[in-house]
């Protein structure tokens, strides 16, 4: 009995079914014309079973099916280190106002003239952006700067509105990825905290998947670092709580939110 596939094939791949043509062609040889090629396709298909069964050794599968993937949430705050719900709600309200202000004045700030020394790196220049945002090697103690002028090339440029207003969403996401990656291996210093806050304030919603992943990475790293603090008076605690709060409460990663104790 002909299968449904065989019934359809003459219509989908019409070929000359003349017996003399079929007998003169070589099944294992190279087709000499389009008709022979299509005929070989039909012959090969007719030799294939309608149902294929994969024979899998369960023992091998059990030994090699482990995949390491981090899907964990934030680490719980030590007792007394978690902010109140009221504090979190106030921070979200303040952050929302900052974002609205940036959106209203973006065109004005993006037209402001930058100093000659403000040279933003290319999008793919990871080391350049680290230096631009966080500064380069510390100045030599044997060659101090006696002019009293701030050397932003050494200390990093603050996230001035005239700078961040020039960043499109692709650049915002790229710089955020660089800084979050740096944060994974380093401590939270004030300059890094300012840049992270500014980039979050410029990040548009709805978030794309890459942004979701970065924000969750940022919150998890912040919660991990928070567990290492020895005192509630540590100046890094409010900043770490703020980053976790914004990711969880404003950007709606609710499973990462600090819960009331």
């Amino acid at each position: 009995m002909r299968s449904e596939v065989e019934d359809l094939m003459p219509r989908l791949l019409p070929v000359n079914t003349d017996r003399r043509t079929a007998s003169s062609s070589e099944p294992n040889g190279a087709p000499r014309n389009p008709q022979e090629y299509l005929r070989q396709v039909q012959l090969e298909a007719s030799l294939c079973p309608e149902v294929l069964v994969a024979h899998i050794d369960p023992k091998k599968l059990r030994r090699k099916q482990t995949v390491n993937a981090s899907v964990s949430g934030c680490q719980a705050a030590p007792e007394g280190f978690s902010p109140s719900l009221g504090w979190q709600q106030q921070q979200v309200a303040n952050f929302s106002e900052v974002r609205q202000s940036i959106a209203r004045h973006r065109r004005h700030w993006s037209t402001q003239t930058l100093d000659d020394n403000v040279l933003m790196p290319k999008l793919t220049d990871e080391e350049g952006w680290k230096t631009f945002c966080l500064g380069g090697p510390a100045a030599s103690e044997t060659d101090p700067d006696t002019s009293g002028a701030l050397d932003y090339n050494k200390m990093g440029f603050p996230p001035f509105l005239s700078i961040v207003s020039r960043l499109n969403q692709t650049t915002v996401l790229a710089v955020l990825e660089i800084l979050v990656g740096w944060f994974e291996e380093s401590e939270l210093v004030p300059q890094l905290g300012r840049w992270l806050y500014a980039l979050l304030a410029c990040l548009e919603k709805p978030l794309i998947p890459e942004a979701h992943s970065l924000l969750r990475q940022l919150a998890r790293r912040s919660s991990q670092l928070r567990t290492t603090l020895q005192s509630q008076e540590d100046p890094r605690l409010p900043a770490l709580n703020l980053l976790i709060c914004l990711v969880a409460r404003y950007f709606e990663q609710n499973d990462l939110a600090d819960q009331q104790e």
Side-chain angles (χ1 to χ4, degrees):
M1 181 179 294
R2 293 169 62 87
S3 68
E4 293 181 0
V5 175
E6 289 175 319
D7 287 336
L8 287 174
M9 286 180 68
R11 286 176 285 170
L12 296 176
L13 298 173
V15 298
N16 183 1
T17 58
D18 184 84
R19 293 183 177 179
R20 291 174 298 176
T21 303
S23 61
S24 63
S25 63
E26 298 180 10
N28 298 325
R32 293 171 295 183
N33 54 57
Q35 291 292 329
E36 287 190 8
Y37 170 76
L38 295 177
R39 183 58 185 166
Q40 285 189 12
V41 170
Q42 288 188 354
L43 291 173
E44 291 174 3
S46 67
L47 298 176
C48 295
E50 294 187 6
V51 178
L52 294 176
V53 178
H55 299 283
I56 301 174
D57 185 349
K59 296 180 180 179
K60 294 182 180 180
L61 187 61
R62 283 195 293 269
R63 289 199 302 267
K64 299 182 179 181
Q65 65 180 353
T66 302
V67 176
N68 294 322
S70 177
V71 295
S72 61
C74 286
Q75 297 187 34
E79 185 177 356
F81 284 66
S82 178
S84 68
L85 179 60
W87 183 90
Q88 296 179 63
Q89 292 172 337
Q90 184 60 53
Q91 299 309 314
V92 169
N94 295 343
F95 183 68
S96 180
E97 291 180 2
V98 170
R99 286 173 59 89
Q100 293 174 19
S101 178
I102 292 176
R104 286 195 305 267
H105 300 98
R106 178 178 293 276
R107 179 174 298 180
H108 165 75
W109 285 110
S110 64
T111 60
Q112 298 302 298
T113 303
L114 297 176
D115 293 339
D116 294 337
N117 64 331
V118 183
L119 300 175
M120 285 186 280
K122 295 181 179 180
L123 181 62
T124 57
D125 186 359
E126 181 175 338
E127 291 301 321
W129 277 109
K130 287 180 183 177
T131 300
F132 183 86
C133 298
L134 306 177
S140 172
E141 295 181 359
T142 60
D143 186 22
D145 183 359
T146 58
S147 65
L150 295 176
D151 188 348
Y152 289 126
N153 290 314
K154 293 181 179 178
M155 61 186 299
F157 288 91
F160 295 127
L161 284 173
S162 56
I163 292 178
V164 297
S165 295
R166 285 174 161 79
L167 306 181
N168 58 32
Q169 284 301 291
T170 300
T171 306
V172 168
L173 192 59
V175 178
L176 184 61
E177 181 178 7
I178 291 170
L179 296 185
V180 170
W182 188 89
F183 184 34
E184 286 281 359
E185 307 296 333
S186 309
E187 294 290 330
L188 180 66
V189 295
Q191 179 75 346
L192 175 60
R194 286 189 285 266
W195 266 102
L196 290 173
Y197 187 93
L199 292 171
L200 293 182
C202 294
L203 192 61
E204 294 179 358
K205 297 174 69 175
L207 300 176
I208 62 174
E210 291 82 355
H212 274 286
S213 178
L214 274 177
L215 294 186
R216 295 181 67 85
Q217 183 181 349
L218 172 61
R220 286 196 296 265
R221 169 56 180 162
S222 298
S223 70
Q224 184 275 328
L225 186 57
R226 183 174 59 182
T227 63
T228 68
L229 302 183
Q230 301 299 315
S231 169
Q232 298 179 27
E233 303 303 319
D234 192 304
R236 294 171 293 176
L237 179 59
L240 294 171
N241 282 339
L242 177 59
L243 292 173
I244 298 169
C245 169
L246 295 181
V247 170
R249 302 289 185 181
Y250 185 86
F251 290 103
E252 301 173 302
Q253 305 301 299
N254 297 311
D255 61 304
L256 304 181
D258 282 315
Q259 305 300 323
Q260 286 191 292
E261 298 177 353

